[in-house]
Amino acid sequence: MTQQTDDISRHIAIRAGGTLLALDAGSGRRAQIVYAGPDLPGVTAAELAMLSTRQHAPGGPAAPLDGSLLHEIGTGISGPSGLIGQRSGRDWATDLRVTTVETPAEGMVVIHCADTNVGIEAQHNFTIDPATGLLSASTTIKNTREEAYCLDWCAALCLPFDARLGRFLSFTGRWAGEFHIEEVPAFQGSILRENKAGRTSHDAFPGGVLAAADTTENAGLATAFHLAWSGNHRLRIDRHSDGRGFVQMGELFFPGEIALGAGETYRTPDLLVAFSHNGLNGASQAFHDHLCAQVSDTRTASKPRPVHYNTWEAVYFLHHEDTLIELAEAAASVGAERFVLDDGWFGGRRHDAAGLGDWWVSGDIYPNGLHPIVNRVKELGMEFGLWFEPEMVNPDSDLYRAHPDWVLGVEGVETIPSRGQLTLDLTRPEVIDYLYEKMDGLITEYGIDYIKWDMNRDAHHPASGGSHSGRAVIHHQTRAVYALLQRLRDAHPKLEIESCSSGGARADFGILRYTDRIWTSDNNDARARHAIMIGASHFFPLRLLGNHVGPKTCHITGRTFSMAFRVASAVFGHMGMELDLRRENAADLAVLKAGIALHKTHRELIHHGRFLRLDTAPETNLIGCVSRDQREALFSYAKLAEDVAAHPRRINFEGLDPAMDYRVRMVWPPHNPSVSAPSIVDAADLMGEGAVFCGAALMGYGIQPPLMFPDTCVFYHIEQTG
Ligand code: GLA
């Protein structure tokens, strides 16, 4: 339906899945959001517009300025503009006015705007997912003049947020320390986070959460937002002098990166927004469910996530056929279902300074190709996965020697060294064809089930000397990565792909349209992993988050942990192992096997239940998965430091049905973890038959966990009786 808006129909409300978006989009006016948030049943857009009336501020413009969807420069808005463009220093004063509004389906609205003075058009798309209430918003800009229009900044949207949301949770980190939550208390002014790594980045996750002062994991207002994009980005939050607050997210362009020729368009990535009145968990759950239903590949969504064995920390670059076969056998014997051969199998890749780009099996170490390993892996009933880093090349490679011009860079400007590798220019069709041909050939020859797609350096001077003649191309490069992934998936419908980038530097809903797993972090330290998984869980469901049992002494932190703790810390996630199984003793291998079996028993619940973070003592981590029908749940309680009090703080379970009776049992670790007796473990026979309590008691009064050593973890299994 296309409608020419007039004053009567200028107020538009779209609502779905518990979210309401109210717009003022009268023809010839600047479009603006009147309200975006949890649904207010029965409330009309017109009454919200009336309620949003603001008083004239003495000393300011004649009437209060409402702004627009992009707050263009020159429209009088005090805060920064969401659209910055120009033609040779002119045509920057844009003022987009509504032409038509379409409401193509329930929960969708498209607003068309034009600025005939400057010669651009804008199309703003809004869609609310009816299942989760998650809002997707994007903007498309079109140049309607002959002369190129240079786009310097275009936010997907200037999203207003509720003034009560004073706290900002930002997600930052580093290599082997991703997804750390950094809380910024109420602030006035601006917060700016920019990423120009050429990948999603370790340090500036494209998203965040705004929360009220009293919001907890399970109660209160929260708005979580995320840009579905794997390239450069900018996130800014501004609290204007008039008291209003806005979030802007979009691609960060290098100078001159986007120049629209006559009639050309640019579309921003989607800004995804979840509005919760059920605390931080409510927003996370909307992201998780939206991803599973709308973004993830349906071909793999319903398949149980196989337990991985990954070779990286076991052998690094020391590949020997016999060793790898021995590891495959050991992995299968403890329950692995997919064997992933990591870096080191191709070309001259005996260390990290050579071989990238030479995507053929190294004849020096594999005279019979990979067939003996692949055959044994498949005989053992496992899938076979292989590591690639397609976007990169080492100068010490046959590929680079043949095609030194195939890399990104600015002529005359020194390249910043990083892991001895350079970024290939994927905007050149010949590079894409080379990569496709090599990867397709190997996938076909070996029946490869799975690819670990890595990307291990930032792109500092991402210019293409090809058809882009020296322009920066991260926008086009990112789209080219997506297209190559899609081409491989089309050719190999059962192929699954993991998104890895020095651990978790490419985790976003853009790449997840084409991939099936995220390698959350290279840090397999069982204690550190809890914080990394908690951070990532704000946006990503456990079924997509790779989580591995590491070696006894962690290679990243040098800390040593028991096998019972290492296994338990990997159960909540897409479980795997990444250790030299030949170095583990028989007792530890038995614990590992038992932990993997436990994961498989509860995998459906962990991967498809409703995920919850629980408010708990700071030295602990308490998370759970509750089945959709609330009949079953599994909670993980990890002790990460010594108790502050003599007795650990009680656990108040969440997400259960208060009226149901549940049997509670402690299903991990294999032995009673209490350091003293008596405790409730004995009193309620939790390690045996367990005891029955009603949901109201388990949630409202809770249970005292056992007093345990630090670096231990217990699982409570809770199941409806009768
Ligand atoms: C990156 C990945 C690791 C491993 C190495 C191989 O660092 O994050 O898991 O694959 O590359 O070089």
Side-chain angles (χ1 to χ4, degrees):
M1 293 160 270
T2 300
Q3 58 190 76
Q4 203 74 37
T5 67
D6 51 33
D7 265 6
I8 298 161
S9 60
R10 67 181 244 206
H11 297 120
I12 299 157
I14 58 168
R15 30 170 58 99
T19 292
L20 169 62
L21 175 70
L23 295 145
D24 184 341
S27 187
R29 302 174 66 89
R30 295 179 190 128
Q32 59 158 313
I33 293 180
V34 173
Y35 174 89
D39 197 0
L40 307 169
V43 174
T44 65
E47 68 186 298
L48 288 168
M50 178 65 81
L51 286 167
S52 70
T53 307
R54 287 173 303 120
Q55 181 130 8
H56 170 243
L65 291 160
D66 291 328
S68 68
L69 298 175
L70 290 179
H71 290 175
E72 297 99 277
I73 298 180
T75 52
I77 289 297
S78 64
S81 174
L83 176 68
I84 302 176
Q86 36 88 27
R87 292 188 184 88
S88 313
R90 289 173 287 104
D91 294 342
W92 51 267
T94 50
D95 190 1
L96 290 159
R97 301 294 178 130
V98 176
T99 53
T100 52
V101 174
E102 290 172 72
T103 45
E106 210 182 320
M108 285 176 78
V109 63
V110 184
I111 298 174
H112 298 268
C113 301
D115 181 336
T116 47
N117 184 39
V118 161
I120 60 164
E121 289 173 4
Q123 180 181 318
H124 303 279
N125 283 48
F126 297 92
T127 305
I128 304 175
D129 175 2
T132 61
L134 197 107
L135 171 72
S136 305
S138 71
T139 289
T140 304
I141 299 289
K142 181 177 182 180
N143 175 21
T144 58
R145 295 263 165 83
E146 275 306 308
E147 192 184 336
Y149 187 74
C150 191
L151 210 49
D152 298 328
W153 168 237
C154 183
L157 177 69
C158 294
L159 174 77
F161 60 86
D162 192 313
R164 290 171 291 179
L165 302 177
R167 294 157 59 202
F168 173 53
L169 273 58
S170 139
F171 297 82
T172 183
R174 56 167 164 86
W175 170 71
E178 295 85 341
F179 299 109
H180 277 275
I181 301 172
E182 189 180 76
E183 181 161 339
V184 182
F187 64 94
Q188 183 66 31
S190 305
I191 285 181
L192 180 66
R193 304 217 62 170
E194 293 192 338
N195 164 45
K196 48 186 171 43
R199 51 177 165 170
T200 320
S201 88
H202 287 107
D203 59 318
F205 176 74
V209 185
L210 286 157
D214 58 353
T215 296
T216 63
E217 291 289 3
N218 285 298
L221 285 178
T223 294
F225 53 91
H226 166 56
L227 191 76
W229 183 243
S230 316
N232 295 332
H233 62 257
R234 175 182 288 142
L235 178 171
R236 62 175 313 147
I237 303 175
D238 301 284
R239 289 184 196 277
H240 293 196
S241 55
D242 62 13
R244 295 181 301 164
F246 295 89
V247 173
Q248 293 187 27
M249 283 212 77
E251 265 188 271
L252 178 83
F253 303 133
F254 274 58
E257 183 169 349
I258 300 292
L260 300 176
E264 283 183 354
T265 58
Y266 164 79
R267 182 181 170 142
T268 67
D270 286 339
L271 176 66
L272 308 177
V273 191
F275 305 99
S276 167
H277 49 79
N278 300 317
L280 304 175
N281 279 322
S284 304
Q285 286 160 5
F287 271 95
H288 297 179
D289 290 352
H290 178 76
L291 188 97
C292 292
Q294 306 286 336
V295 181
S296 286
D297 188 345
T298 49
R299 295 173 299 189
T300 54
S302 54
K303 183 183 150 190
R305 308 284 75 214
V307 173
H308 278 206
Y309 179 80
N310 181 288
T311 62
W312 180 237
E313 292 204 359
V315 299
Y316 291 105
F317 291 106
L318 273 179
H319 284 215
H320 294 288
E321 192 181 286
D322 293 348
T323 309
L324 289 161
I325 288 180
E326 196 183 339
L327 287 171
E329 287 167 351
S333 75
V334 292
E337 297 162 310
R338 181 183 276 160
F339 181 86
V340 182
L341 185 62
D342 210 284
D343 197 356
W345 57 268
F346 51 91
R349 187 75 168 169
R350 302 295 80 79
H351 48 75
D352 69 5
L356 284 178
D358 295 346
W359 300 113
W360 50 84
V361 178
S362 176
D364 305 346
I365 44 170
Y366 294 115
N368 305 312
L370 295 177
H371 290 290
I373 296 178
V374 176
N375 291 346
R376 188 67 187 125
V377 162
K378 301 237 165 168
E379 260 169 36
L380 290 163
M382 294 188 285
E383 292 184 12
F384 181 73
L386 195 59
W387 183 93
F388 287 89
E389 194 176 353
E391 296 147 79
M392 297 290 158
V393 66
N394 286 122
D396 183 2
S397 67
D398 289 354
L399 181 70
Y400 187 78
R401 281 182 281 274
H403 301 286
D405 55 331
W406 276 14
V407 297
L408 294 178
V410 178
E411 217 179 309
V413 175
E414 204 176 309
T415 308
I416 306 289
S418 187
R419 219 192 184 207
Q421 59 194 58
L422 302 169
T423 310
L424 285 170
D425 179 357
L426 268 56
T427 69
R428 288 175 181 260
E430 61 274 28
V431 177
I432 291 290
D433 288 345
Y434 169 81
L435 293 172
Y436 178 79
E437 186 204 308
K438 287 281 172 277
M439 296 179 80
D440 173 66
L442 287 159
I443 296 164
T444 306
E445 179 179 354
Y446 290 106
I448 293 171
D449 303 291
Y450 182 82
I451 284 177
K452 178 175 175 183
W453 182 300
D454 211 337
M455 199 282 209
N456 284 322
R457 73 156 291 168
D458 292 352
H460 297 97
H461 295 112
S464 169
S467 56
H468 295 278
S469 55
R471 274 187 196 276
V473 289
I474 285 299
H475 170 77
H476 296 290
Q477 175 90 354
T478 308
R479 292 241 172 262
V481 173
Y482 292 163
L484 180 57
L485 284 159
Q486 187 61 52
R487 193 168 159 194
L488 286 165
R489 276 155 68 106
D490 288 346
H492 303 279
K494 290 196 174 142
L495 179 72
E496 290 183 44
I497 304 177
E498 171 173 46
S499 173
C500 173
S501 184
S502 320
R506 190 142 71 185
D508 61 79
F509 278 45
I511 203 77
L512 282 170
R513 286 195 186 282
Y514 311 94
T515 53
D516 308 277
R517 188 190 205 240
I518 288 166
W519 180 222
T520 320
S521 177
D522 279 354
N523 192 343
N524 293 317
D525 176 301
R527 192 196 298 159
R529 196 70 175 202
H530 283 273
I532 295 170
M533 298 298 287
I534 282 288
S537 76
H538 278 268
F539 296 91
F540 304 105
L542 291 179
R543 58 186 294 279
L544 293 182
L545 294 174
N547 196 5
H548 291 178
V549 180
K552 193 175 196 80
T553 298
C554 174
H555 294 186
I556 302 287
T557 63
R559 292 196 291 219
T560 298
F561 300 106
S562 71
M563 180 57 91
F565 185 55
R566 281 183 278 156
V567 174
S569 302
V571 162
F572 278 66
H574 181 174
M575 191 177 190
M577 293 166 264
E578 190 163 337
L579 72 171
D580 187 348
L581 292 169
R582 298 168 305 170
R583 291 170 188 267
E584 300 291 324
N585 63 37
D588 281 350
L589 286 174
V591 174
L592 175 60
K593 187 172 181 172
I596 290 172
L598 185 91
H599 171 81
K600 289 180 183 172
T601 302
H602 300 292
R603 169 159 64 185
E604 174 69 20
L605 188 57
I606 295 167
H607 292 164
H608 297 284
R610 196 170 287 286
F611 174 77
L612 291 164
R613 292 173 302 269
L614 281 78
D615 293 302
T616 177
E619 67 275 7
T620 62
N621 179 33
L622 179 58
I623 53 176
C625 293
V626 182
S627 67
R628 304 278 161 163
D629 61 7
Q630 296 176 295
R631 289 175 187 275
E632 193 187 1
L634 187 69
F635 288 92
S636 161
Y637 171 77
K639 173 70 64 69
L640 305 174
E642 286 183 83
D643 292 276
V644 175
H647 292 133
R649 182 173 140 181
R650 300 179 72 78
I651 293 175
N652 291 83
F653 294 106
E654 294 275 358
L656 306 173
D657 182 338
M660 276 189 198
D661 282 335
Y662 295 94
R663 179 173 298 280
V664 180
R665 294 189 311 122
M666 196 178 271
V667 292
W668 192 265
H671 306 289
N672 187 344
S674 294
V675 297
S676 63
S679 78
I680 191 163
V681 182
D682 318 291
D685 191 22
L686 292 181
M687 307 276 317
E689 287 299 300
V692 176
F693 305 97
C694 80
L698 291 171
M699 295 191 292
Y701 184 58
I703 187 171
Q704 187 181 68
L707 190 57
M708 318 189 298
F709 288 134
D711 301 325
T712 48
C713 185
V714 299
F715 294 157
Y716 293 92
H717 183 248
I718 298 182
E719 191 164 24
Q720 192 203 10
T721 55

